[in-house]
Amino acid sequence: METVPSFITPFDLIMQKTSATESERISLLLVVGAIEQGGRTMAALLRKGPLLGITGSALVKNIQGEEVQKLDQIGQETFLSLFRRTRAVRSILSEEAEDPESLSVEQINPLLVAMDPLDGSSNISVNAPIGSIFGVFRPTHSDPASPADLFLRASSPLLSAYLLYSVSTSLVLSFAGETHVFTLDPDSGEFLGTGVPCRFPEKGKIYSTNEAYLPHWEKSLQEYAAWIKTERKPPMILRYIGALVGDFHRNLLKGGIYLYPAEAGEKASGKLRLLYEAYPMAHIAKNAGGIATDGKRDILTIEPRSLHQRVPLVVGPSDLVHEFQEMTGNPLSDI
Ligand code: AHM
Ligand code: MG
């Protein structure tokens, strides 16, 4: 007789973990509940996509000079209003707003949330995978620190998560040293997972990067990119979706390294943002047996200097990131 698999929910996972205090655990449950509800709302909207007229440009630019899509605005409003309602988030920083928003709080140990509410905007209009990314931090200073200071003094995330809207909707949650994958059951509305921590497989051979920018990379990176395709045994193969969440997720499950390095010219600090893209992915990777670097340092040791700071990002399983660092002349001896 076929056995019916038993699943756990994000709620079960947080309740099982003892590292948080009781009041912090309540805050975490409320925050994760908001992420789950946002995931359900976004997944439902995305199922109808063009039929609702939501897959085009909003015809405005954001503070970073990038064209805002209607779904960027919808993601921002959806998650903001859910986090406001938790009364457990002291301040929220988003890719879509210059300044963090301070929220009203009722919980004893409120949290900070940094988010990219809609990652992979260029995939929206072509029905390709997109996502949402969250870093949840413990404030390290009490009043009268400004919301900006709270984020600039934040250390490694307490909890990180991303939602991937694709053929199904995944929620990947990293907390208390483990990374877990949940899938949205559209019938029950629950995110269900096996309870088994997710680890990068070893000996992966995928690399994910936008090779069109290779002429603008440092020479050592160009040489690495040539080496992995020719002399490396076995050679690596390229897979690139163009949404960090989608590329990272494939690499997490199949074993692969993601690279968005610095470039000569406008992208001298890379493209991705430290607080709400690189930190969460670095934390998720670390808890799955991986590493994230900016090419020289562990991402999780970088202290933010500005709220929307960009950073070069190389992230993947430990063996592939060590290999990258050695081949580019910056071996990671102590990570
Ligand atoms: P976004 O947050 O505005 O969507 O930008 C971030 C995205 C990442 O998801 C993706 O990995 C990268 O930009 C793709 O950039 P490019 O088109 O330069 O390859
Ligand atoms: Mg993004």
Side-chain angles (χ1 to χ4, degrees):
M1 199 173 76
E2 202 177 314
T3 47
V4 180
S6 66
F7 292 116
I8 69 159
T9 64
F11 180 94
D12 299 326
L13 178 71
I14 290 168
M15 291 305 285
Q16 281 167 11
K17 299 292 161 190
T18 52
S19 63
T21 61
E22 202 48 42
S23 58
E24 192 170 72
R25 190 183 291 174
I26 294 170
S27 294
L28 282 169
L29 288 171
L30 290 164
V31 166
V32 170
I35 293 173
E36 289 180 72
Q37 182 51 44
R40 284 189 280 274
T41 302
M42 295 298 287
L45 289 172
L46 289 165
R47 261 203 301 277
K48 291 197 174 181
L51 303 179
L52 299 174
I54 56 172
T55 50
S57 167
L59 303 175
V60 286
K61 298 230 161 142
N62 68 11
I63 39 126
Q64 309 179 39
E66 297 155 344
E67 188 170 318
V68 176
Q69 303 293 307
K70 287 182 195 166
L71 271 166
D72 287 319
Q73 294 177 327
I74 292 169
Q76 168 79 347
E77 283 314 312
T78 299
F79 288 106
L80 258 186
S81 66
L82 287 162
F83 287 128
R84 283 186 195 122
R85 260 187 258 161
T86 63
R87 308 277 172 141
V89 177
R90 181 163 162 191
S91 184
I92 176 151
L93 170 70
S94 168
E95 181 182 3
E96 298 304 322
E98 185 162 8
D99 298 313
E101 180 174 321
S102 292
L103 306 177
S104 69
V105 167
E106 278 170 15
Q107 290 302 314
I108 295 166
N109 277 313
L111 299 167
L112 305 174
V113 176
M115 69 169 177
D116 179 354
L118 206 295
D119 176 64
S121 315
S122 64
N123 281 357
I124 294 171
S125 58
V126 294
N127 196 18
I130 53 179
S132 307
I133 309 175
F134 308 89
V136 180
F137 304 86
R138 200 182 258 146
T140 52
H141 285 68
S142 52
D143 290 329
S146 71
D149 283 342
L150 288 174
F151 283 100
L152 297 179
R153 292 170 187 169
S155 52
S156 179
L158 177 64
L159 178 146
S160 303
Y162 65 77
L163 286 152
L164 169 62
Y165 315 107
S166 186
V167 179
S168 59
T169 299
S170 303
L171 169 62
V172 175
L173 207 63
S174 201
F175 171 62
E178 292 178 0
T179 290
H180 288 259
V181 179
F182 299 89
T183 304
L184 176 61
D185 175 356
D187 297 329
S188 67
E190 287 205 279
F191 282 91
L192 302 173
T194 59
V196 178
C198 178
R199 309 284 295 175
F200 281 103
E202 287 178 10
K203 301 194 193 310
K205 52 180 180 27
I206 293 171
Y207 72 104
S208 311
T209 194
N210 191 334
E211 282 206 324
Y213 305 133
L214 187 140
H216 309 294
W217 294 355
E218 267 181 22
K219 192 155 177 288
S220 62
L221 271 78
Q222 295 182 7
E223 287 168 357
Y224 165 80
W227 175 78
I228 55 178
K229 285 175 281 192
T230 52
E231 291 163 57
R232 188 183 187 276
K233 295 200 174 24
M236 297 180 85
I237 51 165
L238 173 66
R239 292 283 182 272
Y240 192 62
I241 291 169
L244 173 62
V245 167
D247 283 305
F248 180 94
H249 193 69
R250 186 212 36 253
N251 294 347
L252 175 65
L253 300 185
K254 289 198 160 180
I257 187 167
Y258 175 91
L259 306 104
Y260 208 117
E263 292 167 24
E266 276 181 19
K267 286 191 267 175
S269 301
K271 178 181 183 190
L272 301 169
R273 276 53 62 110
L274 177 61
L275 275 163
Y276 41 83
E277 291 177 320
Y279 264 1
M281 290 317 200
H283 184 234
I284 291 166
K286 182 179 177 184
N287 288 337
I291 305 177
T293 79
D294 67 349
K296 296 190 172 64
R297 298 164 294 172
D298 182 339
I299 289 284
L300 293 171
T301 66
I302 299 175
E303 287 180 16
R305 280 174 282 102
S306 61
L307 292 172
H308 299 280
Q309 181 177 336
R310 295 178 193 269
V311 70
L313 179 65
V314 176
V315 59
S318 181
D319 57 346
L320 294 184
V321 177
H322 272 283
E323 179 182 81
F324 165 83
Q325 294 292 154
E326 272 156 34
M327 295 304 296
T328 53
N330 296 293
L332 294 172
S333 48
D334 52 359
I335 294 184

